[in-house]
Amino acid sequence: MTESAGREGAPVRLQKILAQAGVASRRASEDLIARGRVEVDGKIVREMGIKVDPATAVIRVDGTRIVLDDTLVYLALNKPRGYHTTMSDERGRPCVGDLVADRIDAGQRLFHVGRLDADTEGLLLVTNDGELAHRLMHPSYEVSKTYMATVTGVVGKGVGKQLRDGIELEDGPAKVDQFSLLDVHDGRSLVKVVLHEGRKHIVRRILAEVGHPVEGLVRTRFGAVALGDQRAGSFRKLNRKEVSDLYEAVGL
């Protein structure tokens, strides 16, 4: 994401690391350090000229972690409906790999974080940061995902409480963190669902279980990353704050 600040194992002056990471010029970085806005491994550093190992140090500016490895890639992709969540498809079906083909062709070994089924649209994170991806998908870290679902029927007042309290599916109990009814039109309801688990088709299954089959489903947020008005099929680089927030959410 940023220019590498030095070879592995070689201590580098902190202001130089910040400058090479694109945080600020070297002189402005010295000012950040002097004002106590820079942390190294959880401790505020004010000493000028201090050297740290950029390969191992955890550096934050104003609480935002600085990612120093320029080989790491973090993308937010708006997956269109009909695309399969694979980097290649032996049957020739449209897939996520097609949408980031230029980067793969350039030698980047990217993979998707979790899955969206072919009929689900919206935010999919794509990266080559294996440790971050592993933790984001692990249920113990409880990273939330937000969905907008168009469902059949008019959703009654008790459905939200039912889903927050939990329902029983064939593979065990499931519940949502948040649920809200946003709109009703022509016998359909638009609902917002926030949950942190990632079982297959979990949103479709829980809504069908309470009598409201899903007709359309879009993931709009993954942790700190929001889809916004991003065009279907497009991707963008995550900004420094988004990457830092994802790291923080999973204890990195």
Short mmCIF file of all heavy atoms in Angstrom, two decimals, residues 91-120:
data_model
loop_
_atom_site.label_atom_id
_atom_site.label_comp_id
_atom_site.label_asym_id
_atom_site.label_seq_id
_atom_site.Cartn_x
_atom_site.Cartn_y
_atom_site.Cartn_z
N ARG A 91 -15.59 -23.33 -15.26
CA ARG A 91 -16.73 -23.43 -16.18
C ARG A 91 -16.93 -22.16 -17.00
O ARG A 91 -17.88 -22.05 -17.77
CB ARG A 91 -18.00 -23.74 -15.38
CG ARG A 91 -17.97 -25.11 -14.72
CD ARG A 91 -18.99 -25.27 -13.63
NE ARG A 91 -20.36 -25.07 -14.11
CZ ARG A 91 -21.43 -25.10 -13.31
NH1 ARG A 91 -21.28 -25.33 -12.01
NH2 ARG A 91 -22.63 -24.91 -13.81
N GLY A 92 -16.04 -21.20 -16.82
CA GLY A 92 -16.09 -19.99 -17.61
C GLY A 92 -17.15 -18.99 -17.19
O GLY A 92 -17.46 -18.05 -17.94
N ARG A 93 -17.69 -19.14 -15.99
CA ARG A 93 -18.70 -18.21 -15.52
C ARG A 93 -18.05 -16.91 -15.05
O ARG A 93 -16.88 -16.92 -14.64
CB ARG A 93 -19.50 -18.84 -14.38
CG ARG A 93 -20.27 -20.09 -14.77
CD ARG A 93 -20.91 -20.76 -13.57
NE ARG A 93 -19.90 -21.20 -12.60
CZ ARG A 93 -20.18 -21.83 -11.47
NH1 ARG A 93 -21.45 -22.09 -11.14
NH2 ARG A 93 -19.20 -22.20 -10.65
N PRO A 94 -18.77 -15.80 -15.10
CA PRO A 94 -18.20 -14.54 -14.59
C PRO A 94 -17.80 -14.69 -13.13
O PRO A 94 -18.54 -15.28 -12.33
CB PRO A 94 -19.36 -13.54 -14.74
CG PRO A 94 -20.28 -14.14 -15.73
CD PRO A 94 -20.16 -15.63 -15.58
N CYS A 95 -16.63 -14.16 -12.77
CA CYS A 95 -16.16 -14.32 -11.39
C CYS A 95 -15.38 -13.09 -10.97
O CYS A 95 -15.03 -12.22 -11.79
CB CYS A 95 -15.31 -15.58 -11.25
SG CYS A 95 -13.74 -15.54 -12.13
N VAL A 96 -15.10 -13.02 -9.68
CA VAL A 96 -14.40 -11.88 -9.09
C VAL A 96 -13.04 -11.68 -9.76
O VAL A 96 -12.60 -10.55 -9.99
CB VAL A 96 -14.24 -12.08 -7.57
CG1 VAL A 96 -13.26 -11.09 -6.98
CG2 VAL A 96 -15.60 -11.97 -6.90
N GLY A 97 -12.35 -12.77 -10.08
CA GLY A 97 -11.05 -12.66 -10.73
C GLY A 97 -11.09 -11.87 -12.02
O GLY A 97 -10.12 -11.19 -12.38
N ASP A 98 -12.22 -11.93 -12.73
CA ASP A 98 -12.35 -11.17 -13.97
C ASP A 98 -12.31 -9.67 -13.71
O ASP A 98 -11.82 -8.89 -14.53
CB ASP A 98 -13.69 -11.50 -14.67
CG ASP A 98 -13.80 -12.95 -15.07
OD1 ASP A 98 -12.75 -13.60 -15.26
OD2 ASP A 98 -14.94 -13.45 -15.19
N LEU A 99 -12.83 -9.25 -12.55
CA LEU A 99 -12.95 -7.83 -12.24
C LEU A 99 -11.62 -7.22 -11.81
O LEU A 99 -11.44 -6.01 -11.89
CB LEU A 99 -14.00 -7.62 -11.15
CG LEU A 99 -15.41 -8.13 -11.50
CD1 LEU A 99 -16.32 -8.03 -10.29
CD2 LEU A 99 -15.98 -7.34 -12.67
N VAL A 100 -10.69 -8.04 -11.34
CA VAL A 100 -9.37 -7.55 -10.92
C VAL A 100 -8.28 -8.19 -11.78
O VAL A 100 -7.13 -8.31 -11.36
CB VAL A 100 -9.11 -7.83 -9.42
CG1 VAL A 100 -10.04 -7.00 -8.55
CG2 VAL A 100 -9.26 -9.31 -9.09
N ALA A 101 -8.64 -8.57 -13.00
CA ALA A 101 -7.73 -9.30 -13.88
C ALA A 101 -6.44 -8.53 -14.16
O ALA A 101 -5.36 -9.12 -14.25
CB ALA A 101 -8.43 -9.65 -15.18
N ASP A 102 -6.54 -7.21 -14.30
CA ASP A 102 -5.34 -6.42 -14.60
C ASP A 102 -4.31 -6.53 -13.49
O ASP A 102 -3.11 -6.62 -13.75
CB ASP A 102 -5.72 -4.95 -14.80
CG ASP A 102 -6.47 -4.72 -16.10
OD1 ASP A 102 -6.48 -5.65 -16.95
OD2 ASP A 102 -7.04 -3.63 -16.28
N ARG A 103 -4.77 -6.55 -12.25
CA ARG A 103 -3.84 -6.67 -11.12
C ARG A 103 -3.25 -8.07 -11.03
O ARG A 103 -2.08 -8.25 -10.71
CB ARG A 103 -4.54 -6.28 -9.82
CG ARG A 103 -4.74 -4.78 -9.70
CD ARG A 103 -5.46 -4.39 -8.44
NE ARG A 103 -5.41 -2.95 -8.26
CZ ARG A 103 -4.50 -2.31 -7.52
NH1 ARG A 103 -3.59 -3.01 -6.87
NH2 ARG A 103 -4.51 -1.00 -7.40
N ILE A 104 -4.08 -9.08 -11.31
CA ILE A 104 -3.57 -10.45 -11.31
C ILE A 104 -2.55 -10.63 -12.43
O ILE A 104 -1.49 -11.24 -12.23
CB ILE A 104 -4.74 -11.44 -11.45
CG1 ILE A 104 -5.64 -11.38 -10.21
CG2 ILE A 104 -4.21 -12.86 -11.64
CD1 ILE A 104 -6.90 -12.19 -10.34
N ASP A 105 -2.85 -10.08 -13.60
CA ASP A 105 -1.92 -10.16 -14.72
C ASP A 105 -0.60 -9.47 -14.41
O ASP A 105 0.45 -9.83 -14.94
CB ASP A 105 -2.55 -9.54 -15.98
CG ASP A 105 -3.70 -10.37 -16.53
OD1 ASP A 105 -3.83 -11.54 -16.12
OD2 ASP A 105 -4.48 -9.83 -17.33
N ALA A 106 -0.66 -8.46 -13.53
CA ALA A 106 0.56 -7.72 -13.15
C ALA A 106 1.36 -8.45 -12.07
O ALA A 106 2.40 -7.97 -11.63
CB ALA A 106 0.19 -6.33 -12.66
N GLY A 107 0.86 -9.63 -11.65
CA GLY A 107 1.61 -10.45 -10.72
C GLY A 107 1.14 -10.41 -9.28
O GLY A 107 1.75 -11.05 -8.42
N GLN A 108 0.06 -9.69 -9.01
CA GLN A 108 -0.45 -9.64 -7.64
C GLN A 108 -1.28 -10.90 -7.36
O GLN A 108 -2.21 -11.20 -8.11
CB GLN A 108 -1.29 -8.38 -7.43
CG GLN A 108 -0.48 -7.10 -7.50
CD GLN A 108 -1.33 -5.86 -7.32
OE1 GLN A 108 -2.55 -5.91 -7.33
NE2 GLN A 108 -0.67 -4.72 -7.17
N ARG A 109 -0.97 -11.60 -6.28
CA ARG A 109 -1.67 -12.82 -5.90
C ARG A 109 -2.78 -12.46 -4.91
O ARG A 109 -2.58 -12.46 -3.70
CB ARG A 109 -0.71 -13.84 -5.32
CG ARG A 109 0.41 -14.24 -6.29
CD ARG A 109 1.27 -15.33 -5.72
NE ARG A 109 0.53 -16.56 -5.52
CZ ARG A 109 1.04 -17.68 -5.04
NH1 ARG A 109 2.32 -17.71 -4.68
NH2 ARG A 109 0.32 -18.77 -4.88
N LEU A 110 -3.91 -12.12 -5.45
CA LEU A 110 -5.01 -11.61 -4.65
C LEU A 110 -6.01 -12.71 -4.32
O LEU A 110 -6.14 -13.70 -5.04
CB LEU A 110 -5.74 -10.49 -5.40
CG LEU A 110 -4.89 -9.27 -5.80
CD1 LEU A 110 -5.71 -8.32 -6.65
CD2 LEU A 110 -4.35 -8.57 -4.57
N PHE A 111 -6.73 -12.53 -3.23
CA PHE A 111 -7.82 -13.44 -2.89
C PHE A 111 -8.92 -12.64 -2.19
O PHE A 111 -8.68 -11.55 -1.67
CB PHE A 111 -7.34 -14.60 -2.01
CG PHE A 111 -6.44 -14.18 -0.88
CD1 PHE A 111 -6.96 -13.76 0.34
CD2 PHE A 111 -5.06 -14.22 -1.03
CE1 PHE A 111 -6.14 -13.39 1.37
CE2 PHE A 111 -4.22 -13.86 0.01
CZ PHE A 111 -4.75 -13.43 1.22
N HIS A 112 -10.12 -13.19 -2.20
CA HIS A 112 -11.27 -12.52 -1.61
C HIS A 112 -11.38 -12.89 -0.14
O HIS A 112 -10.99 -13.99 0.28
CB HIS A 112 -12.55 -12.89 -2.35
CG HIS A 112 -12.71 -14.35 -2.62
ND1 HIS A 112 -13.22 -15.23 -1.70
CD2 HIS A 112 -12.40 -15.09 -3.72
CE1 HIS A 112 -13.23 -16.44 -2.20
NE2 HIS A 112 -12.74 -16.40 -3.43
N VAL A 113 -11.93 -11.98 0.66
CA VAL A 113 -12.12 -12.20 2.08
C VAL A 113 -13.56 -12.65 2.27
O VAL A 113 -14.51 -11.87 2.17
CB VAL A 113 -11.86 -10.92 2.88
CG1 VAL A 113 -12.08 -11.16 4.37
CG2 VAL A 113 -10.44 -10.41 2.62
N GLY A 114 -13.76 -13.94 2.53
CA GLY A 114 -15.11 -14.47 2.63
C GLY A 114 -15.75 -14.58 1.27
O GLY A 114 -15.09 -14.48 0.23
N ARG A 115 -17.07 -14.77 1.27
CA ARG A 115 -17.78 -15.02 0.02
C ARG A 115 -19.11 -14.27 -0.01
O ARG A 115 -19.69 -13.97 1.04
CB ARG A 115 -18.07 -16.51 -0.16
CG ARG A 115 -16.88 -17.43 -0.06
CD ARG A 115 -17.28 -18.88 -0.25
NE ARG A 115 -17.66 -19.13 -1.62
CZ ARG A 115 -16.81 -19.40 -2.61
NH1 ARG A 115 -15.51 -19.45 -2.35
NH2 ARG A 115 -17.22 -19.65 -3.82
N LEU A 116 -19.54 -13.98 -1.21
CA LEU A 116 -20.93 -13.58 -1.48
C LEU A 116 -21.44 -14.54 -2.54
O LEU A 116 -20.75 -14.82 -3.52
CB LEU A 116 -21.00 -12.14 -2.01
CG LEU A 116 -20.60 -11.02 -1.06
CD1 LEU A 116 -20.62 -9.69 -1.80
CD2 LEU A 116 -21.51 -10.97 0.15
N ASP A 117 -22.67 -15.06 -2.36
CA ASP A 117 -23.16 -15.98 -3.38
C ASP A 117 -23.43 -15.23 -4.68
O ASP A 117 -23.48 -13.99 -4.69
CB ASP A 117 -24.40 -16.74 -2.89
CG ASP A 117 -25.57 -15.84 -2.58
OD1 ASP A 117 -26.07 -15.19 -3.53
OD2 ASP A 117 -26.02 -15.80 -1.42
N ALA A 118 -23.61 -15.96 -5.75
CA ALA A 118 -23.70 -15.35 -7.08
C ALA A 118 -24.84 -14.34 -7.18
O ALA A 118 -24.73 -13.33 -7.89
CB ALA A 118 -23.86 -16.44 -8.15
N ASP A 119 -25.93 -14.57 -6.48
CA ASP A 119 -27.08 -13.68 -6.56
C ASP A 119 -27.00 -12.49 -5.61
O ASP A 119 -27.89 -11.64 -5.60
CB ASP A 119 -28.37 -14.46 -6.28
CG ASP A 119 -28.72 -15.42 -7.41
OD1 ASP A 119 -28.33 -15.13 -8.56
OD2 ASP A 119 -29.36 -16.45 -7.15
N THR A 120 -25.95 -12.43 -4.79
CA THR A 120 -25.79 -11.32 -3.86
C THR A 120 -24.80 -10.31 -4.41
O THR A 120 -23.75 -10.67 -4.94
CB THR A 120 -25.30 -11.84 -2.49
OG1 THR A 120 -26.27 -12.75 -1.97
CG2 THR A 120 -25.12 -10.69 -1.50
#
